[in-house]
Amino acid sequence: MDSVTLGGCRQYDNHQTNIDEDDQKAIWKRVTRLMPNLKKAQFVADGVGLRPHRTSIRVEKERMTLSNGSILHVVHHYGHCGYGWIVSPGSAITASQLARQILQSGEARGGEN
């Protein structure tokens, strides 16, 4: 591996995009306690990512009727919060299965299934 992403913290209602030195130190302490060999790693960059919080991941299909009467089929796939790296591959399989159901049933071509 050429690089590793370390860290993460959950802070509700914190919308700051600047690096917090206390968070940075706490993350470094946690990861190097688990993997002491990372203390020798070359530092590349810090980053902050804001993720919306939901009580659950949304993976479902929806049939919407537009104002012109046409039907729009949507597969929702969002709400992973800070767990996207972990769970999104599995939930993507579910989302693709839902899209396949729409295509195979004829719904996308105007069928009523």
Side-chain angles (χ1 to χ4, degrees):
M1 260 190 318
D2 293 332
S3 62
V4 180
T5 301
L6 307 174
C9 52
R10 177 179 289 180
Q11 299 172 340
Y12 295 105
D13 296 322
N14 181 349
H15 304 285
Q16 297 296 318
T17 57
N18 57 315
I19 304 296
D20 182 293
E21 288 186 27
D22 292 330
D23 288 338
Q24 181 186 42
K25 289 174 185 175
I27 290 168
W28 184 249
K29 184 177 179 179
R30 285 193 314 267
V31 298
T32 55
R33 188 178 330 123
L34 290 171
M35 297 188 69
N37 62 330
L38 287 175
K39 291 179 182 180
K40 300 176 186 176
Q42 177 185 359
F43 175 80
V44 177
D46 274 323
V48 174
L50 302 178
R51 294 185 173 94
H53 174 76
R54 292 180 49 85
T55 55
S56 65
I57 298 170
R58 184 176 185 192
V59 183
E60 63 184 357
K61 60 184 178 176
E62 180 179 2
R63 183 177 187 253
M64 301 172 72
T65 303
L66 303 179
S67 60
N68 65 3
S70 63
I71 302 298
L72 176 65
H73 296 277
V74 176
V75 175
H76 297 279
H77 183 230
Y78 61 88
H80 296 79
C81 301
Y83 304 108
W85 287 96
I86 298 168
V87 300
S88 62
S91 63
I93 291 170
T94 302
S96 64
Q97 289 170 341
L98 294 173
R100 186 176 298 114
Q101 287 173 9
I102 292 168
L103 294 171
Q104 290 177 341
S105 70
E107 292 179 67
R109 294 182 301 277
E112 294 300 317
N113 297 338

